[in-house]
Amino acid sequence: MKIKIYFICIATLIYLTGCKSPKPVFSNLHHNEFGNESTTSPVIDVRVGVLPYKASAQPEEKPKQLWELQDSLPHHLLKVVSSKTQKPEDIIALMSKPINAKKDSAPPELPTEFTEYKVRLAFSNIKRYFTDKRFTHPNTRLAYLNTYISIPKGENRIAFKSIDKLENEFEEVELGNLSRSNSVTFNSKLTATGQIGSSIDNTSTVSSENSNSSKSGNEKKVYDEDGNVVGTINSSGDLNGAKKSNNTTTTKNGASANVTGEIGYVNAETLNEARLVKLQRMKAGFSFSPNEIVVSQEGRQNADISLNVFVDATLKFKGSDLTDEKNVYTFKNLFDESYQPVSANDLSFGRRTVSYVKCVDSQPLLLKVKYEGELRAVENLKEQTGENSLEYDDKVTMYHLPMKDGADALIDPMLFCKYVYRISAKNALGNTVILNISWKKEEELDLFSDDKPEEFLKWIKLQIAKENPKTLSTNKFEIYFEVSGTEKIYVAKNKMTSEDFKKLRQLKDLNIEARS
C-alpha cells in the first residue's frame, strides 16, 4: 500500500514538471511577507550643500578637411581636380584647404541680467546603519528617500524659477539572465522500492542497393611502310559501379521513476533569470514649485540609494528694495603690452543697462531642508547559510523614517549681489566731485563690479602721472568731474589743453565708491 502511494506521488511530480509546461508550477522567487514598522533611530543624515555654478565651456569649432567628408565625396572631388591639372602639388594644396574656414567671431555681448542666480545644490546622505543591530544585514538598504529644500515662510526676496539640470548617472543593475533551462531536480528522499513507467520503441529501416558493370575492348593492326602487317595494339577495360544506402530510425519515448533514491525540487529556470538580466534606470528624479524643490530617490535590487545628487537651479530675486537698474560703462584696452596706459583715443568702450541685486544691506539666504524615507531592513536568521546574496529569500521589514529636519543651507549674499561704482575726488576746496561722461547723453559714469572698475581708475591715475595732455585728447567722448553746473574739470576731451591738465592735477583722493 505504501509503495502504491509513493508511485502516485512520483507520477504527480512528473506530470507537474513535464515538458508541456514552459514554467514550473513551483517557484522560489516568491518574497516573504513584509513587515511594516516605524523607527526614529538616527540611521541616516541628509545634507544639502551650496556650490558655485560653473557653465560648461562650449567646444571650439574646428576646420573640416576634404578628406574628412563621408562616403565617396573625396574620391569624386579628387577625380575632378586631377582632370584640371597634372601637377601633384596643386592637387595637394587644394585638398589641404579646409572646407569651413574659421571665421572671426564678433566679441560676445556682456550680460545684463543679474537678478537671477544659478546655484548648484549638492544633495548627500550619510548612512549609519551600524547604530542599530536590526539594520546590520548586508542586504539592508534605503528603499525610498525624499529630500525637500524650501524657502522659509516670510522670505519674499526669492523664488525658484527653474531646475536646469539634475546630474546623476544611469546605473546598470544586474537582475538575472534570459537563458532558459527546463531541467528540474529533486531532493526529497523516498526509501520504498518499485518502478512505474511506460516506453515505446519504434525502429524503421530503409535500404537500397544499385550496381552496374561495363566492359569495352578495341584492337588495331600495325603496318610497315610496304603495307605488311607487323603487329596489333589491344585496348580494353572493365568498369564496375555500386551504390548502397541504409537508413535506420529509432524512436524511443519513455517515462519511469524509481522510488529509491534522492528526488529534489529546485527551479533552475527562475534562479537563472534572477542573476543576469540587466536593467538601466535613473536613480533619482525631482519636482519643484516656486517655493520648494523635492529630490526623490529609489533604491535598486542589491544596491543602496546613491550618495550624491546634484541639481542646478535658478533663483529669481524680486522686490524694488532689493534690486536696481543702472546704466554702466565698460572700458577695454586700457594698457599696452608693457602695461602702460594707452591714449584716450585708443580706448574701446561700451554702455549697457544692467539689472542686479544690491549688496547694500543684503542678508544671507536661508533654505530649509527636510527629509523622509523608508528603510528596507533584513533580519539575520540563524537557519540561513549565507550562501545566497540575492534578495528573493530575504525576511524583510520596512521601517518608515518620519519627516526630519536637516541642516539649513545658507547662501552668502556676496555670491549673488553686485555693486555699481562711481569715481569721486576732492577738488582744491575740499569738496567731493563725481566723474561724469558725455557720450550720446550726459550722465554719471558708473562702473559695474564684474568689469574690473579699479582698472579704469588706475588708467586715470597713470595718465595724470604722465603729464601729457595729448594722450587725453579724443573726439569720441568727454569725461569730466562736475564741480558745478558751469564748472568742469576735464579728464578727456577734444583738444585737451595744458590748463585743463593743470586743473586735473589739483584733484586729490581719487577713489571708487559704491552707489547706494
Side-chain angles (χ1 to χ4, degrees):
M1 182 65 182
K2 291 183 178 179
I3 295 177
K4 184 177 181 180
I5 294 175
Y6 292 148
F7 286 165
I8 294 173
C9 292
I10 296 300
T12 302
L13 289 173
I14 293 173
Y15 173 76
L16 292 175
T17 59
C19 61
K20 293 182 179 180
S21 175
K23 291 190 66 177
V25 175
F26 304 116
S27 171
N28 64 357
L29 199 57
H30 295 315
H31 289 276
N32 291 318
E33 183 178 355
F34 287 0
N36 285 279
E37 296 185 19
S38 181
T39 180
T40 56
S41 295
V43 294
I44 185 174
D45 184 19
V46 177
R47 301 176 184 179
V48 179
V50 179
L51 305 176
Y53 174 81
K54 292 183 179 179
S56 57
Q58 297 296 326
E60 183 180 356
E61 183 180 0
K62 297 181 179 179
K64 194 177 186 68
Q65 303 293 328
L66 294 173
W67 301 110
E68 300 178 44
L69 294 175
Q70 296 180 354
D71 301 327
S72 60
L73 289 177
H75 174 69
H76 289 300
L77 183 59
L78 186 60
K79 291 176 66 176
V80 173
V81 173
S82 61
S83 65
K84 303 296 182 181
T85 180
Q86 300 299 321
K87 295 181 179 180
E89 55 272 16
D90 293 342
I91 298 176
I92 295 174
L94 179 62
M95 299 299 288
S96 301
K97 292 182 178 180
I99 300 174
N100 55 334
K102 186 177 180 181
K103 299 179 181 179
D104 294 333
S105 58
E109 295 184 0
L110 296 175
T112 60
E113 177 57 62
F114 296 93
T115 60
E116 297 177 359
Y117 176 63
K118 288 184 179 292
V119 63
R120 166 162 282 204
L121 302 174
F123 292 76
S124 60
N125 57 84
I126 302 171
K127 302 175 180 68
R128 297 193 179 97
Y129 301 154
F130 50 81
T131 60
D132 195 316
K133 64 180 181 180
R134 295 174 297 173
F135 311 134
T136 55
H137 192 281
N139 279 10
T140 294
R141 59 175 172 82
L142 279 170
Y144 302 97
L145 177 63
N146 294 334
T147 306
Y148 306 81
I149 183 165
S150 58
I151 299 171
K153 292 182 178 179
E155 175 59 84
N156 55 6
R157 294 181 294 169
I158 58 168
F160 291 112
K161 180 183 178 182
S162 65
I163 291 181
D164 307 306
K165 181 181 179 182
L166 186 146
E167 185 174 314
N168 205 315
E169 71 275 14
F170 279 89
E171 184 174 58
E172 192 173 61
V173 184
E174 299 285 347
L175 292 180
N177 65 31
L178 294 180
S179 63
R180 300 185 63 83
S181 172
N182 290 324
S183 61
V184 179
T185 59
F186 299 85
N187 59 16
S188 59
K189 297 181 179 180
L190 304 177
T191 56
T193 60
Q195 183 173 359
I196 61 173
S198 62
S199 63
I200 299 175
D201 294 349
N202 183 15
T203 303
S204 62
T205 303
V206 178
S207 62
S208 62
E209 182 175 352
N210 295 321
S211 62
N212 56 67
S213 62
S214 61
K215 184 176 183 180
S216 63
N218 188 17
E219 182 176 329
K220 292 184 179 181
K221 294 180 180 181
V222 180
Y223 300 90
D224 62 7
E225 59 183 0
D226 296 327
N228 300 317
V229 177
V230 294
T232 60
I233 297 176
N234 292 318
S235 176
S236 63
D238 294 331
L239 178 62
N240 297 315
K243 182 179 181 181
K244 183 177 181 180
S245 64
N246 189 9
N247 186 10
T248 301
T249 303
T250 301
T251 304
K252 292 184 178 181
N253 294 322
S256 63
N258 195 324
V259 181
T260 302
E262 293 185 354
I263 302 176
Y265 186 82
V266 176
N267 190 341
E269 178 184 10
T270 304
L271 283 177
N272 287 341
E273 290 183 350
R275 283 188 178 272
L276 301 177
V277 171
K278 294 181 178 180
L279 173 67
Q280 272 197 337
R281 61 182 297 181
M282 197 171 186
K283 298 191 297 182
F286 68 87
S287 64
F288 85 103
S289 66
N291 295 320
E292 185 178 63
I293 293 176
V294 183
V295 173
S296 180
Q297 296 174 263
E298 182 180 354
R300 294 91 59 204
Q301 290 189 21
N302 299 314
D304 211 331
I305 284 176
S306 59
L307 295 175
N308 299 101
V309 175
F310 298 93
V311 174
D312 294 341
T314 301
L315 297 172
K316 178 66 176 179
F317 292 86
K318 52 188 179 179
S320 58
D321 56 339
L322 182 66
T323 62
D324 201 354
E325 187 175 278
K326 288 284 191 300
N327 295 327
V328 296
Y329 288 83
T330 304
F331 292 88
K332 297 182 179 180
N333 301 326
L334 293 168
F335 306 97
D336 58 19
E337 294 179 355
S338 59
Y339 208 69
Q340 294 299 313
V342 302
S343 63
N345 201 52
D346 295 331
L347 289 178
S348 60
F349 69 101
R351 174 180 177 270
R352 72 189 193 276
T353 303
V354 296
S355 300
Y356 65 100
V357 178
K358 295 183 292 186
C359 288
V360 180
D361 299 328
S362 290
Q363 299 296 323
L365 289 178
L366 178 69
L367 300 176
K368 304 291 292 183
V369 176
K370 294 184 178 181
Y371 60 93
E372 62 178 348
E374 191 167 45
L375 183 68
R376 180 189 185 276
V378 180
E379 293 188 26
N380 293 301
L381 302 178
K382 294 182 179 180
E383 60 270 20
Q384 295 290 344
T385 62
E387 296 175 353
N388 185 12
S389 63
L390 300 180
E391 294 187 352
Y392 70 89
D393 60 348
D394 291 346
K395 183 173 177 56
V396 176
T397 301
M398 305 298 288
Y399 287 90
H400 174 235
L401 305 176
M403 187 76 75
K404 186 177 179 180
D405 291 332
D408 295 335
L410 290 176
I411 303 178
D412 192 319
M414 299 309 297
L415 295 175
F416 57 80
C417 72
K418 303 293 181 182
Y419 283 103
V420 171
Y421 293 99
R422 63 184 182 182
I423 296 179
S424 63
K426 299 286 188 181
N427 63 6
L429 299 177
N431 298 324
T432 300
V433 290
I434 304 299
L435 190 65
N436 287 258
I437 186 171
S438 176
W439 180 71
K440 296 185 178 180
K441 63 179 297 186
E442 292 189 6
E443 59 184 341
E444 187 174 296
L445 196 158
D446 291 332
L447 306 169
F448 196 52
S449 57
D450 285 5
D451 299 338
K452 298 181 179 180
E454 67 280 356
E455 292 288 312
F456 183 66
L457 176 63
K458 187 173 185 178
W459 178 84
I460 295 177
K461 291 182 177 180
L462 290 176
Q463 288 288 4
I464 295 175
K466 287 179 66 174
E467 300 185 359
N468 187 358
K470 293 182 179 180
T471 59
L472 295 176
S473 297
T474 179
N475 57 2
K476 293 180 179 180
F477 51 79
E478 288 185 353
I479 300 177
Y480 56 90
F481 288 95
E482 186 171 14
V483 179
S484 63
T486 58
E487 184 181 358
K488 299 177 181 179
I489 301 176
Y490 286 97
V491 175
K493 72 170 186 175
N494 189 22
K495 296 180 180 180
M496 190 80 168
T497 65
S498 299
E499 185 64 26
D500 295 326
F501 194 81
K502 182 179 179 181
K503 293 180 180 179
L504 179 60
R505 291 194 59 189
Q506 293 176 353
L507 294 177
K508 297 180 181 180
D509 299 334
L510 270 73
N511 199 5
I512 58 173
E513 60 181 39
R515 292 200 57 177
S516 57

